[in-house]
Amino acid sequence: MLRPAGRPAAIGSLLLALSAYGVGDLSSAFGRLPCSQTEPGCTAAAQLAESDGVVHSVVSAVGLLLFAVAFLFLGSAMSRLSGWTRYAWAARGLALLFFALCVVTGQVGPLGLVGLFQRVGAATGAVGIVALALAVLHRAPAPSPRRP
C-alpha cells in the first residue's frame, strides 16, 4: 500500500521486518534468558552472565532501535501519499514514544520497574503494528469479484 511513496516505504518496511517484532521474535526461539527481570533477585548482571543473555540483550537493543526508526521512515512514506497523511504524524509519534519508553526502561533499573516498562514498551509496539495493519486494511482496495 505504501509502495508508491518510494524509498522511505521500502526502508521502513525492511526495518520493521528486521526489528524486535520481526527477526527479534524469531531469534527468541534459539535462546533462553537465565532469568527474567520480573523475578525477584534477577538483575541485568545475572542476565548477562550467560551468552544467551548477551545475545538477547544485543539483539533486543538493536531490534528496538530498528523498530523506532522504521516508524520514522513509514511516517515519512505516509506523508508523501494522499489519503495517508493523517497517519504520518501518528507513526512518527509512535516512534518517538517508543524510543522514550526504551530510554526510560534503561533508567528504572534501581526502582525494580524494568520488567513493567519492558512490557509497556512491548505492548506499545504491538499496538503500533496493529494500528498500521488496520490502516492498511482500511485503505486497501476492495477485491474484484471473480468471473466464471
Side-chain angles (χ1 to χ4, degrees):
M1 293 297 297
L2 297 176
R3 185 176 295 179
R7 189 168 291 195
I11 292 170
S13 298
L14 177 64
L15 291 177
L16 185 58
L18 294 173
S19 77
Y21 294 89
V23 172
D25 282 347
L26 288 174
S27 70
S28 65
F30 300 105
R32 179 155 162 63
L33 284 173
C35 63
S36 171
Q37 289 194 18
T38 58
E39 299 170 0
C42 182
T43 63
Q47 283 186 333
L48 296 174
E50 295 183 21
S51 61
D52 283 349
V54 173
V55 170
H56 173 78
S57 180
V58 170
V59 169
S60 295
V62 171
L64 295 173
L65 178 62
L66 289 177
F67 180 81
V69 174
F71 269 84
L72 290 175
F73 274 96
L74 292 172
S76 175
M78 290 172 190
S79 69
R80 295 174 173 212
L81 300 173
S82 65
W84 282 93
T85 53
R86 66 181 175 159
Y87 300 109
W89 284 107
R92 292 176 181 137
L94 173 68
L96 296 176
L97 172 63
F98 193 80
F99 183 74
L101 280 170
C102 289
V103 170
V104 170
T105 301
Q107 301 301 312
V108 297
L111 302 174
L113 298 174
V114 171
L116 171 67
F117 275 85
Q118 285 174 338
R119 282 158 178 73
V120 169
T124 300
V127 166
I129 292 170
V130 168
L132 177 61
L134 290 174
V136 168
L137 184 63
H138 175 73
R139 302 282 312 149
S144 58
R146 291 186 175 184
R147 295 184 184 221

